[in-house]
């Protein structure tokens, strides 16, 4: 069985059970340090002779809780450290035995808050830090236990329970209760403190992976002589945007000149609006209050003054004078062209968040290989797991896109034979208080870029007639419009201020966003005919000119197929709780029913 391990009592087999479950979970042996830590902890637990069932190595997104002691309606999360020495480095990290680590109280409080905020068990979680090998570390931010007797006394507050109470936790699920853009808007007034700590009470505390990256960037910034480029790779929902925003706000609050940069106009405008009203008291020779939104910029505009474009230096000097850029944070950096990559090191320190699986058009070349080729002094990190959706679901999506059979569990994936049934189910989720959204393949109608808000033929994506002549919806009384207005419609839509089922986003408007439940209209662009194949005829995506999907699909179907798989990967991973799919191509829908066992 994979982790966690449930111990009714400590036996000679307990250590072996931990090793076996770790191997099954991670497909590798635990380190010597991890084995020694387990041996010591099991030895201590054995001396307590506690009647409580213990959950060990319980996964919380990318991290694992050392131990949970279970009561009927509450549980104690124990974060145990065998460090010999620990010295605080900054707000969220310490140096322990020569290594940089996440501050243990921050780590513990993050676990407790995430369990209380996002876990489905309904149990109230409390926490204690167990430092059984050092007196170096102290903190007022969590309860610290220093010896087995302290732990024994603490456990007297928790009555012994049965395996049934353990199962409430082990069989429970993590479900994010608010999306990231909404979270920013609701908590922005608290974000002028220590940012990493300010987001902690809301369940958005940084994982150890994220916290260590933040600390390393801050350390390089403190050394004014240092220059470095950080590459941070992460899959869909791995927390890239959370860390990017945290870096941006944390460094601005410390007085560094920081730019947060995107290509996606829809995402950029939504982030700007979420932070509306926040300003930065920045003391320099001009001594002025500066709105945070002016530090959020495009890295590519097509007009030469994006952060990664040739005329940026002149534009920047005109706007900011001789100000020196300390840090540029690039989110969605996989969408960079080669020229943008070459021009992008504008700060002393530059951080690139990217995912190779999310390139969308032909000239997007933000891959690990290209970053390494064109940047110097590079340091690389990986965000290893998804926070938004289960890793098993992400892997299943990749397998589906490879034409392989999958089994979906612990995630609400549904396939629909008609669009009305899908919309009705999404409407039910909305009535239950869930945030819903609709995403459509970029087919059938191109969108009217000159009349973005009008309900005309070009802007109509679902209904009859359609620009392409596709008549699937001829006898269906429904009209759904493309989201077109990047500055008004898109931010309102993803904040829940527009009818979520009266509009639909393209993949460009979905990247970087999320909702509890997402309806996906799978178009006639990528269809199943004995294998996945591309049909260029319904594709109406002309973004990128000669590098657009429409052009590529006509001259290089293999390249188009790769881009379409990336697009459906993005579209199918926007739902926090579930994704509902309707197929405009009947044969594709029937094949998907064969591939997917829900």
């Amino acid at each position: 069985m994979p982790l966690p391990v449930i111990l009714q009592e400590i036996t000679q087999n307990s250590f072996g059970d931990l090793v076996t479950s770790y191997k099954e979970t991670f497909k590798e042996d635990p380190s010597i340090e991890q084995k020694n830590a387990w041996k010591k902890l099991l030895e201590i637990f054995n001396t307590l002779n506690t009647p409580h069932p213990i959950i060990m190595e319980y996964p919380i997104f990318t991290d694992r809780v050392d131990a949970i002691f279970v009561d009927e309606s509450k549980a104690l999360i124990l974060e145990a450290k065998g460090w010999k020495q620990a010295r605080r480095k900054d707000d969220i990290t310490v140096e322990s035995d020569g290594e940089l680590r996440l501050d243990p109280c921050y780590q513990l409080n993050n676990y407790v808050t995430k369990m209380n905020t996002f876990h489905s068990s309904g149990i109230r979680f409390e926490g204690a830090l167990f430092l059984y090998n050092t007196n170096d570390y102290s903190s007022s931010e969590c309860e610290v236990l220093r010896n087995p007797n302290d732990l024994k006394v603490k456990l007297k507050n928790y009555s012994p329970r049965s395996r049934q109470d353990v199962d409430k936790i082990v069989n429970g699920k993590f479900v994010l209760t608010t999306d990231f853009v909404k979270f920013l808007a609701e908590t922005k007034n608290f974000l002028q403190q220590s940012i990493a700590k300010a987001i902690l009470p809301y369940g958005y505390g940084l994982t150890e992976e994220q916290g260590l990256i933040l600390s390393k960037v801050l350390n390089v910034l403190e050394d004014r002589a240092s220059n470095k480029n950080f590459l941070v790779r992460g899959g869909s929902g791995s927390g890239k945007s959370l860390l990017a925003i945290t870096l941006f706000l944390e460094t601005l609050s410390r007085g560094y000149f920081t730019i947060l940069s995107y290509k996606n106009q829809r995402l950029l405008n939504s982030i700007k609006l979420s932070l509306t009203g926040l300003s930065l008291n920045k003391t320099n020779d001009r001594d002025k209050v500066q709105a945070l939104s002016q530090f959020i910029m495009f890295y590519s505009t097509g007009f030469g003054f994006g952060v990664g474009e040739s005329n940026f230096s002149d534009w920047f000097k005109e706007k900011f004078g001789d100000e020196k850029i300390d840090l540029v944070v690039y989110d969605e950096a996989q969408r960079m062209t080669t020229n943008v990559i070459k021009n992008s090191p504008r700060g002393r320190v530059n951080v690139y968040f990217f995912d190779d699986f999310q390139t969308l058009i032909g000239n997007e070349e933000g891959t690990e290989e290209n970053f390494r080729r064109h940047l110097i002094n590079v340091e690389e990190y990986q965000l290893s797991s998804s926070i938004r959706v289960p890793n098993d679901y992400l892997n299943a999506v990749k397998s589906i896109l490879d034409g392989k059979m999958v089994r979906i569990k612990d995630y609400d994936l549904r396939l629909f034979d008609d669009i009305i049934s899908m919309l009705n189910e999404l409407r039910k989720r909305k009535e239950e208080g869930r945030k819903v959204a609709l995403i459509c393949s970029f087919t059938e109608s191109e969108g009217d870029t000159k009349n973005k808000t009008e309900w005309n033929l070009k802007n109509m994506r679902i209904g009859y007639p359609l620009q392409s002549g596709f008549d699937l919806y001829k006898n269906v009384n429904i009209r759904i419009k493309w989201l077109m207005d990047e500055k008004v419609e898109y931010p309102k839509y993803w904040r829940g201020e527009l009818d979520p089922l009266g509009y639909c986003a393209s993949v460009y408007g979905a990247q970087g966003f999320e909702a509890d439940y997402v309806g996906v209209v799978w178009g006639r662009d990528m269809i199943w005919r004995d294998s996945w194949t591309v049909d260029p005829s319904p594709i109406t995506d002309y973004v990128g000119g000669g590098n657009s999907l429409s052009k590529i699909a006509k001259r290089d179907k293999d390249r188009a197929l790769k881009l379409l798989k990336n697009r459906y990967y993005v579209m199918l991973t926007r739902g926090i709780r579930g994704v509902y799919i309707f197929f405009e191509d009947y044969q594709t829908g029937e094949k998907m029913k064969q591939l997917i066992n829900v």
Side-chain angles (χ1 to χ4, degrees), residues 125-300:
F125 292 90
E126 301 169 342
L129 176 62
F130 185 33
L131 296 179
Y132 54 84
N133 218 12
T134 182
N135 290 314
D136 283 359
Y137 177 90
S138 61
S139 176
S140 61
E141 295 178 1
C142 71
E143 182 178 4
V144 181
L145 311 175
R146 298 197 181 274
N147 57 64
N149 190 58
D150 288 347
L151 179 56
K152 190 169 187 176
V153 171
K154 179 70 177 177
L155 289 173
K156 289 180 180 179
N157 297 317
Y158 299 82
S159 58
R161 300 307 303 176
S162 67
R163 174 62 185 260
Q164 185 177 359
D165 298 298
V166 171
D167 288 342
K168 288 183 191 175
I169 298 174
V170 173
N171 296 331
K173 299 177 184 178
F174 283 98
V175 180
L176 297 187
T177 53
T178 186
D179 65 274
F180 182 58
V181 172
K182 183 178 179 183
F183 161 72
L184 275 181
E186 289 178 347
T187 62
K188 65 182 180 183
N189 292 329
F190 301 97
L191 297 181
Q192 297 185 72
Q193 312 163 22
S194 170
I195 310 306
K197 286 188 174 181
I199 62 179
L200 187 60
Y202 301 93
Y204 281 90
L206 302 180
T207 65
E208 182 156 34
E209 287 178 339
Q210 293 169 326
L212 295 182
I213 293 169
L214 173 64
S215 182
K216 287 180 181 293
V217 173
L218 291 174
N219 287 340
V220 174
L221 283 170
E222 287 174 10
D223 181 0
R224 293 281 176 178
S226 293
N227 294 274
K228 192 173 285 290
N229 294 301
F230 290 87
L231 301 183
V232 183
R233 188 182 201 170
S236 182
S238 60
K240 299 186 297 296
S241 291
L242 171 63
L243 182 53
I245 290 282
T246 304
L247 265 171
F248 171 62
L249 294 171
E250 185 78 53
T251 51
L252 277 176
S253 70
R254 295 180 181 222
Y256 295 109
F257 193 103
T258 303
I259 293 171
L260 177 62
S261 195
Y262 297 91
K263 179 179 180 180
N264 186 336
Q265 186 175 0
R266 302 152 188 87
L267 182 57
L268 181 145
N269 287 327
S270 295
I271 297 295
K272 276 190 172 185
L273 284 173
S274 295
L275 296 175
T276 294
L278 278 183
S279 60
L280 174 69
N281 290 308
K282 190 173 173 61
T283 302
N284 56 21
D285 53 50
R286 289 170 293 148
D287 192 21
K288 61 188 287 188
V289 176
Q290 297 171 308
L292 283 186
S293 61
Q294 73 172 327
F295 299 98
I296 305 174
M297 306 176 189
F298 293 109
Y299 62 71
S300 179

Side-chain angles (χ1 to χ4, degrees), residues 332-359:
E332 306 287 359
Q334 72 275 355
R335 301 196 63 193
M336 289 181 167
T337 65
T338 297
N339 283 336
V340 168
I341 294 172
K342 291 177 179 178
N343 290 325
S344 63
R346 301 292 188 181
R348 288 193 296 112
V349 180
N350 305 280
V351 183
Y352 302 79
F353 292 92
F354 71 103
D355 178 6
D356 299 54
F357 283 96
Q358 295 194 46
T359 55

